[in-house]
Amino acid sequence: MEKVKIGILGLGNISGIYLKNLTEVFREVEIAGVFDIVPEKAEKVREQYKTARGFSSMEEFLADPEIEIVLNLTRPFEHYATTKAALLAGKHVYSEKPLAATCEEGKELVALAGEKNLMLGGAPDTFLGAGIQTCRKLIDDGFIGRPVGACARMICHGHESWHPAPAFYYQQGGGPMMDMGPYYLTALVNLLGRVEGLTGITSKSFETRTITSMPQYGQSIAVEVPTHVNGILRFANGAVGTITTTFDVYYDSQAALEVYGTKGTLRVPDPNGFGGPVMLLRPEDGSFREIPLVFDYKDNSRGLGLADMAKALRTGRSLRAGCGQTLHVLEIMTAFERSSREGRYVNLETAYERKAPMNNECITGVLDS
């Protein structure tokens, strides 16, 4: 397959693992260009990755005819404007999460991509990894019976103690649900299907945060978004789930995700990762036992969803991490705050159907057709 040319927009913290995997793991893509508003970042990348051309502006970057897919790694509150600009320039776009800061913006982007016959997809792609794909097979093959419920928890005390520039986590487009919710909700809809409605209660425990990490030690952050979110989800298949995401709580572990069925319980691995362990409890066993991973990509494989999009672009098949999924997850996340504000149950509007599972009939770094 002829390699798909990728242009990377934004070279923040997350760009390192993308650069590594797109050049060392995934064989059907090539980095054609990079742009960041800080020229030194782009220069450093160009020195290390010789195929990556530099540009004097985002407009020049988006006008490059060789770039086929824009990998949007800008900050969350910038996703809408930058993705829209790329689509208007005729580029397919794969964006880091979330798709946009509001559901209305997300719907506009999806409509624009449809009008221009362009692919639009995005993170997280951890659901394509060995851990969650193994869980999906166990559920689809009936190992826990009919799914009846799920429980997800992401508990931590925020990012200001370790992140070098944590302010955007507390601005519009940030918060624990918009930051970490995509991992948990993307995993859940891939395991259980569409969410048809929900109820949420949100709160903000601290009006300001003090940065204790370098280089911004001592600076104060004004908190603009809810930092403690509780939600109840009703899935179209009848299962009922709960989710808690918080930046307000001290805890000794962060991730928990379980799916309950009529014949057993499944402990899903951290949805922010690609691997295991996968733990299954059935009544005949009496306790949880670890299940071997039966799919590829158990290490940090960020870029897997982009590689899948590249394959879809060349073959014409459907992409797995497409905008139908990212928009549905965005509607879920934003509906929690709306439910809390309006004090009511919210019926969701977006459609969603699970895409094909991964298969193992491929070489690592070459996606199936």
Side-chain angles (χ1 to χ4, degrees):
M1 183 183 104
E2 179 186 359
K3 289 188 176 183
V4 175
K5 301 293 181 68
I6 308 298
I8 302 179
L9 180 60
L11 296 168
N13 282 354
I14 195 66
S15 65
I17 188 61
Y18 275 101
L19 287 162
K20 181 178 188 297
N21 289 339
L22 295 179
T23 55
E24 297 179 10
V25 178
F26 301 112
R27 308 183 188 189
E28 298 179 311
V29 297
E30 179 181 301
I31 299 173
V34 296
F35 177 75
D36 193 278
I37 58 174
V38 179
E40 292 77 14
K41 290 183 178 181
E43 180 61 32
K44 184 178 180 180
V45 170
R46 291 198 303 272
E47 290 176 359
Q48 185 173 357
Y49 302 96
K50 302 304 181 184
T51 63
R53 296 186 305 282
F55 303 88
S56 60
S57 67
M58 186 176 78
E59 291 72 22
E60 182 185 1
F61 166 82
L62 293 177
D64 188 303
E66 285 199 17
I67 293 174
E68 299 175 83
I69 299 176
V70 169
L71 170 59
N72 188 350
L73 302 183
T74 59
R75 292 171 293 185
F77 60 86
E78 298 168 325
H79 287 174
Y80 165 73
T82 49
T83 293
K84 183 177 181 178
L87 291 171
L88 288 172
K91 306 298 184 185
H92 306 284
V93 180
Y94 183 92
S95 176
E96 254 301 327
K97 47 80 184 171
L99 172 62
T102 70
C103 193
E104 291 71 26
E105 290 177 345
K107 289 178 179 177
E108 181 184 338
L109 293 176
V110 171
L112 179 60
E115 291 168 10
K116 291 189 163 291
N117 196 29
L118 293 168
M119 287 186 173
L120 173 60
D125 54 3
T126 48
F127 75 97
L128 296 173
I132 294 173
Q133 287 293 307
T134 296
C135 291
R136 173 170 171 172
K137 182 169 179 57
L138 289 168
I139 293 172
D140 290 353
D141 289 352
F143 279 81
I144 65 168
R146 176 175 55 83
V148 297
C151 178
R153 301 191 308 276
M154 193 296 298
I155 303 175
C156 75
H157 207 269
H159 294 52
E160 63 271 23
S161 65
W162 61 271
H163 197 281
F168 73 87
Y169 287 103
Y170 301 98
Q171 297 169 346
Q172 293 301 318
M177 181 55 71
M178 296 293 279
D179 177 45
M180 295 300 291
Y183 297 106
Y184 294 78
L185 292 168
T186 299
L188 283 171
V189 298
N190 270 275
L191 297 176
L192 299 175
R194 180 179 182 267
V195 175
E196 66 178 20
L198 58 82
T199 301
I201 297 179
T202 71
S203 64
K204 181 170 63 176
S205 302
F206 307 96
E207 292 297 326
T208 61
R209 300 278 184 141
T210 300
I211 301 175
T212 57
S213 60
M214 298 301 289
Q216 300 177 1
Y217 180 89
Q219 294 184 25
S220 180
I221 303 170
V223 179
E224 302 175 357
V225 293
T227 49
H228 192 93
V229 180
N230 289 314
I232 301 173
L233 304 157
R234 177 173 291 281
F235 292 86
N237 68 358
V240 176
T242 63
I243 183 169
T244 297
T245 64
T246 181
F247 283 167
D248 296 345
V249 176
Y250 292 105
Y251 208 65
D252 63 349
S253 62
Q254 184 183 81
L257 181 56
E258 296 178 336
V259 179
Y260 313 119
T262 56
K263 296 181 180 179
T265 294
L266 190 62
R267 283 184 179 160
V268 181
D270 184 348
N272 192 19
F274 289 80
V278 172
M279 307 296 293
L280 175 66
L281 170 66
R282 286 177 57 93
E284 62 267 27
D285 295 325
S287 61
F288 282 94
R289 59 189 174 97
E290 186 167 354
I291 303 299
L293 303 181
V294 294
F295 290 88
D296 201 356
Y297 304 107
K298 64 179 181 296
D299 298 320
N300 189 341
S301 301
R302 278 176 171 79
L304 178 56
L306 175 59
D308 182 78
M309 174 187 274
K311 192 74 172 194
L313 179 62
R314 287 288 185 263
T315 64
R317 70 156 167 79
S318 177
L319 64 155
R320 291 181 170 95
C323 58
Q325 176 170 283
T326 55
L327 180 60
H328 187 53
V329 168
L330 178 61
E331 185 185 21
I332 295 168
M333 294 190 297
T334 54
F336 287 129
E337 186 174 358
R338 179 155 60 101
S339 171
S340 181
R341 183 176 64 251
E342 298 175 2
R344 66 180 182 90
Y345 179 85
V346 174
N347 289 298
L348 301 186
E349 299 176 354
T350 52
Y352 173 75
E353 290 185 7
R354 298 190 303 166
K355 298 300 183 181
M358 296 288 280
N359 68 51
N360 273 334
E361 299 176 3
C362 59
I363 301 167
T364 296
V366 178
L367 273 289
D368 61 282
S369 59

